[in-house]
Amino acid sequence: STLYEDIIRIRATNYKNKSHVKQLSGYDKNQEKLIWIESKLMLENIKRDIKIKQNEINKKEFSIKEKYLSEIYVALGEYVDIGTKLYTIHDFSKSKIEVYIRHSDFQKLKEKQVYINSAKSNFSVEKISQVNDTERISTYKVVLSSVNKLRQEYYGKIVKVEFK
């Protein structure tokens, strides 16, 4: 902002010097005054924008509850653009299992109980895709979910899923 203050000081001096010259028209004197006032206004807008940005930066806070933060990609004070990946987070509050079924097995799926490794489970059908899967032709993706009780019984494991 010191450069803008120098510009304002120079323009103020120009205006004061030209305002005493009798050969200049009122229009020229007003133009010089207008340039000086616009410079002052520009500096005030820049100062206001800086304060707003500093306030926005100071209000940025990230808090994570019941989740696992595995990796942070930016350092403290580093500038990031909108959409930049900041960190990787894993939500262990809910377990999800994805299964692919045939259309013929679709009927009454939500009414059936989910068994995992031949044992009755607390998993329920969260979502049934209405569109064929693009990789597993003629199958539909079904997402099963369950609220975790701080244990990862099936995390990263292959399980047998039955609907009875």
Side-chain angles (χ1 to χ4, degrees):
S1 68
T2 57
L3 292 175
Y4 280 106
E5 290 168 352
D6 289 344
I7 291 171
I8 290 172
R9 192 171 38 260
I10 291 168
R11 288 188 174 164
T13 304
N14 286 348
Y15 165 66
K16 289 176 186 170
N17 290 340
K18 286 185 178 182
S19 65
H20 297 299
V21 176
K22 293 185 180 192
Q23 288 84 5
L24 288 177
S25 68
Y27 175 79
D28 289 335
K29 292 177 184 179
N30 287 338
Q31 283 299 105
E32 198 64 41
K33 183 177 183 179
L34 185 61
I35 290 171
W36 172 53
I37 292 171
E38 285 176 347
S39 298
K40 284 173 52 175
L41 182 63
M42 185 186 324
L43 179 62
E44 290 303 314
N45 286 339
I46 289 171
K47 287 180 179 178
R48 180 185 48 118
D49 289 345
I50 289 172
K51 284 182 182 178
I52 289 171
K53 291 294 181 189
Q54 286 175 339
N55 191 24
E56 287 176 2
I57 289 169
N58 292 337
K59 287 183 177 180
K60 297 295 182 206
E61 181 179 308
F62 299 98
S63 63
I64 299 170
K65 296 177 183 177
E66 299 179 16
K67 293 178 177 44
Y68 176 71
L69 181 65
S70 66
E71 205 170 343
I72 300 174
Y73 299 109
V74 294
L76 182 65
E78 188 176 338
Y79 177 81
V80 294
D81 283 327
I82 295 173
T84 301
K85 188 172 184 176
L86 303 177
Y87 50 82
T88 300
I89 190 168
H90 302 281
D91 183 4
F92 290 133
S93 64
K94 192 186 251 189
S95 289
K96 289 190 177 187
I97 297 176
E98 294 178 358
V99 295
Y100 296 87
I101 62 170
R102 295 184 303 265
H103 191 304
S104 59
D105 297 334
F106 239 50
Q107 311 307 330
K108 301 179 185 177
L109 189 62
K110 287 200 175 203
E111 297 172 6
K112 295 184 177 184
Q113 182 64 39
V114 178
Y115 286 77
I116 307 291
N117 294 336
S118 302
K120 189 174 183 181
S121 72
N122 61 347
F123 279 85
S124 61
V125 176
E126 180 179 307
K127 180 181 175 186
I128 301 173
S129 176
Q130 300 299 315
V131 181
N132 286 5
D133 189 65
T134 56
E135 292 178 18
R136 294 164 186 87
I137 307 301
S138 301
T139 62
Y140 296 83
K141 181 178 176 180
V142 176
V143 178
L144 307 171
S145 66
S146 171
V147 177
N148 281 337
K149 302 280 192 270
L150 297 173
R151 58 187 183 126
Q152 297 301 315
E153 187 176 348
Y154 304 117
Y155 183 73
K157 297 180 181 174
I158 297 173
V159 294
K160 178 181 172 186
V161 178
E162 298 175 281
F163 297 97
K164 297 181 181 178

